[in-house]
Amino acid sequence: MNWKRILILAAIIILVIILQSTLLNYIGIWGSKPDLLLIFVIAIGLTRGVQDSVIFGFAAGLLEDIAAGGMIGETAFVKMLIGLLVGLFEQRLFKENFIVPACMIFFGSLVQGLLTFFFINSFQVRLDFLSALLHKIIPAALYTSLVSAAIYPLAVRIYAKIYSEHIYSRIYRAR
Amino acid sequence: MPGHSGINLRFIILIGILVILIIAMFLTSEERTGLSKIEVFFRDLIAPVQSWVNKVCDSVVDAFSFIGNIRNLSRENRVLKNQVEELTYLNNSLNEAKAENERLRRLLEVSRMIPYDKVVAEVIARSPDNWYSNIVINKGYDDGIRKDMAVITHAGLVGKISEVTKRTATVLLLTDPRSAVGGLNQRTRDIVLVEGSAELKNHLLLKPLDDMPELHKGDVVISSGLGGIFPKGLVIGKIVVVEKGDFGMTTTAVVEPAVDFGKLEYVMVIRETVRDDQGVMIIMSEDDGANTDTNTGLDAGVVNTNAVNSTNSVNATDAFNTDVLNANVSFGGGSR
């Protein structure tokens, strides 16, 4: 257990949640804003492997649930699952160019959107699938993968710094 | 083998956590009576930072929009001058209407003026995801905010308090898909249901409770007070589209809210409401007893109309008084 690292990662999650609920409202397009936290989950999955990405996804999702004021557990479930999927694929992917992470983020965002739709639909209110897909899920996925061009390399660098004391770290460098 | 059992154990823990999360979702998906201590702690922890970041963003946006607007300023100035003239005229006629309203009220002996208690709060954050329409305000339990209190602006109804922490509160906006408000067509007095919708961005869905509703584009919808949460007579919005369903059996309408939910900066929480004989919540203006100078409220209202994004909460309060009074003139008076 590296407590310093855990604290820094927790601080990153909280900071991103704060930005997500304030700053990102100003750059929303047609009511959709990018999900920075998802980019951080996928980045940790692609650079650090499955265990870290599952724990990080769970913690990030749970704190987001607590801050958001919806169901507790929904984002935690979705982000943990995405952390798991990305972490499992990690070793089979060629990650040295930007296209792979961007595609992962696009599909990760799609999966997140579909699962969120499913949970809200089954536990809270009925929503129309087609319009949710066209107005929320796809725009958010496109926007998130677009923004990841700037945020993903940043996330990778931050993780590289945090994990730098490891000799055998499998760090993927942005450049 | 130790390797295998390690993987199996991890797999079981993972499945266990996923199951627990689904149970947590199920337990927290309905409206809850209160928040857990962890939620209260976490939200109060991040609220000051959210407030600060929001302020910084606001000032940056303001600065940029100021630079962008310099060219338009002279044109805007001309338009505003015209507007001042129009509003001065309007101000005078409103003064007349107010005086007339006073007289009528005394005549009908319905002016049981009970002042209601309200508090001005600043919007410090919004829902971090795209699915819900929440705002977080900087007043909470310590300021007397409780769950289910109505939230309004000078323009009309905003939503209701859904969650309260010590120093913040979450407001479920009318546009949230979980929101449903009892409404009243101001023209026909038909009772309707106004719901938030995930599909209609920043618009509301109106469902009539009558079989043969008479809905027209431009009809104003106000709150009915029947739900027990929102006071009667607050403006919800205006019908912009009327849709006939299949076979003409059902009619729904799209309502443009009176409040611009994208630009909420200050809102007002009604900490107290008053019920009439039939248990319907009504709003009473405190203007009568407290404010002897009839011009003050109206002047403030006009000034505030010009400075749309006024950050002066005192002005906002005064303007609000005027609006509620007007609402009483047009809605409260005509309803019975």
Side-chain angles (χ1 to χ4, degrees):
Chain A
M1 281 272 188
N2 186 334
W3 286 105
K4 196 177 151 199
R5 183 188 301 158
I6 291 172
L7 280 178
I8 295 172
L9 287 173
I12 289 172
I13 294 173
I14 292 172
L15 190 74
V16 173
I17 288 174
I18 289 171
L19 291 181
Q20 198 112 338
S21 62
T22 52
L23 179 72
L24 291 206
N25 295 319
Y26 292 87
I27 60 161
I29 298 177
W30 301 313
S32 282
K33 50 186 173 185
D35 190 341
L36 300 189
L37 214 49
L38 183 74
I39 300 175
F40 275 83
V41 171
I42 290 176
I44 207 167
L46 289 179
T47 56
R48 307 304 321 164
V50 66
Q51 186 177 325
D52 288 20
S53 67
V54 166
I55 297 171
F56 186 85
F58 171 74
L62 196 63
L63 287 178
E64 192 184 337
D65 277 334
I66 290 174
M71 284 181 279
I72 299 292
E74 175 247 311
T75 318
F77 184 101
V78 176
K79 288 213 158 73
M80 186 174 164
L81 204 65
I82 287 172
L84 177 73
L85 294 177
V86 174
L88 288 178
F89 277 119
E90 179 252 333
Q91 285 158 341
R92 291 173 215 170
L93 288 174
F94 179 72
K95 294 165 291 183
E96 307 308 314
N97 62 31
F98 175 69
I99 304 296
V100 171
C103 288
M104 290 298 273
I105 286 159
F106 179 77
F107 286 112
S109 183
L110 274 189
V111 170
Q112 168 166 284
L114 292 171
L115 281 174
T116 306
F117 171 83
F118 172 75
F119 285 131
I120 289 181
N121 222 29
S122 11
F123 291 126
Q124 287 193 309
V125 282
R126 287 241 161 275
L127 302 171
D128 181 50
F129 177 70
L130 195 67
S131 53
L133 188 72
L134 293 177
H135 293 129
K136 290 201 182 289
I137 298 171
I138 291 177
L142 285 173
Y143 202 1
T144 305
S145 45
L146 199 73
V147 167
S148 71
I151 302 297
Y152 181 81
L154 180 77
V156 170
R157 277 189 193 183
I158 292 172
Y159 293 145
K161 262 234 152 65
I162 298 172
Y163 285 89
S164 60
E165 60 258 49
H166 272 242
I167 299 164
Y168 298 107
S169 63
R170 297 170 290 166
I171 297 164
Y172 154 63
R173 293 195 185 281
R175 280 162 215 271
Chain B
M1 281 195 291
H4 261 262
S5 69
I7 288 170
N8 277 342
L9 187 67
R10 278 186 191 176
F11 185 70
I12 289 166
I13 291 173
L14 191 73
I15 297 295
I17 291 173
L18 290 176
V19 170
I20 290 170
L21 287 176
I22 290 182
I23 295 170
M25 268 184 253
F26 178 72
L27 293 176
T28 54
S29 60
E30 298 290 315
E31 257 194 49
R32 287 183 285 164
T33 46
L35 289 173
S36 67
K37 279 194 175 142
I38 300 171
E39 284 166 275
V40 170
F41 170 77
F42 183 67
R43 291 199 205 169
D44 280 341
L45 184 79
I46 62 173
V49 192
Q50 283 177 319
S51 177
W52 182 80
V53 176
N54 225 24
K55 277 209 179 84
V56 172
C57 294
D58 264 338
S59 46
V60 171
V61 169
D62 281 350
F64 273 102
S65 58
F66 177 74
I67 293 164
N69 277 335
I70 283 175
R71 266 189 227 164
N72 297 328
L73 281 181
S74 80
R75 195 162 49 91
E76 201 176 319
N77 191 23
R78 214 166 44 236
V79 174
L80 285 175
K81 272 180 185 158
N82 285 338
Q83 220 168 35
V84 166
E85 273 176 32
E86 275 172 34
L87 289 171
T88 313
Y89 171 74
L90 194 68
N91 186 12
N92 290 336
S93 52
L94 284 176
N95 269 334
E96 282 300 308
K98 189 184 175 189
E100 191 183 354
N101 185 39
E102 289 308 308
R103 286 198 298 275
L104 287 173
R105 237 202 281 244
R106 273 190 206 103
L107 273 176
L108 292 166
E109 293 184 345
V110 290
S111 56
R112 292 163 295 162
M113 282 301 127
I114 307 158
Y116 60 87
D117 187 18
K118 60 205 180 304
V119 59
V120 177
E122 196 185 339
V123 177
I124 59 170
R126 280 166 183 275
S127 174
D129 59 32
N130 288 319
W131 294 86
Y132 299 115
S133 300
N134 290 341
I135 53 171
V136 180
I137 56 173
N138 69 342
K139 295 279 161 72
Y141 195 89
D142 289 353
D143 306 285
I145 309 281
R146 299 293 181 272
K147 193 172 153 44
D148 285 342
M149 284 179 172
V151 182
I152 56 179
T153 68
H154 65 280
L157 201 56
V158 172
K160 66 169 184 175
I161 300 288
S162 60
E163 286 156 351
V164 187
T165 73
K166 253 172 98 65
R167 285 185 293 272
T168 71
T170 306
V171 182
L172 185 75
L173 300 182
L174 293 186
T175 46
D176 190 287
R178 294 167 292 175
S179 160
V181 188
L184 206 58
N185 186 328
Q186 196 194 355
R187 188 174 55 84
T188 62
R189 318 309 295 176
D190 282 337
I191 291 176
V192 295
L193 197 63
V194 183
E195 293 179 350
S197 159
E199 293 92 51
L200 303 165
K201 270 173 196 160
N202 294 326
H203 280 70
L204 306 166
L205 192 67
L206 182 146
K207 292 180 178 168
L209 299 181
D210 248 348
D211 284 341
M212 299 294 287
E214 198 194 321
L215 299 173
H216 286 301
K217 197 176 158 186
D219 281 357
V220 174
V221 182
I222 59 174
S223 57
S224 68
L226 290 173
I229 288 173
F230 298 105
K232 183 175 179 176
L234 290 167
V235 183
I236 294 173
K238 199 170 67 181
I239 294 179
V240 286
V241 178
V242 180
E243 282 171 351
K244 285 251 186 278
D246 298 338
F247 316 114
M249 294 297 280
T250 55
T251 309
T252 54
V254 177
V255 173
E256 184 180 59
V259 174
D260 185 349
F261 289 101
K263 287 184 184 151
L264 284 176
E265 285 184 42
Y266 285 90
V267 295
M268 224 167 288
V269 184
I270 299 179
R271 288 195 289 199
E272 231 176 80
T273 41
V274 186
R275 287 169 193 276
D276 69 5
D277 307 336
Q278 289 157 358
V280 174
M281 285 181 133
I282 45 172
I283 275 200
M284 294 289 193
S285 170
E286 63 185 344
D287 217 84
D288 289 51
N291 214 345
T292 46
D293 180 7
T294 49
N295 284 325
T296 320
L298 289 166
D299 282 342
V302 171
V303 170
N304 202 267
T305 321
N306 280 335
V308 178
N309 285 329
S310 166
T311 47
N312 188 333
S313 59
V314 179
N315 257 1
T317 317
D318 283 344
F320 170 71
N321 283 342
T322 318
D323 267 287
V324 168
L325 194 69
N326 290 338
N328 273 347
V329 173
S330 44
F331 312 135
S335 63
R336 284 168 211 283

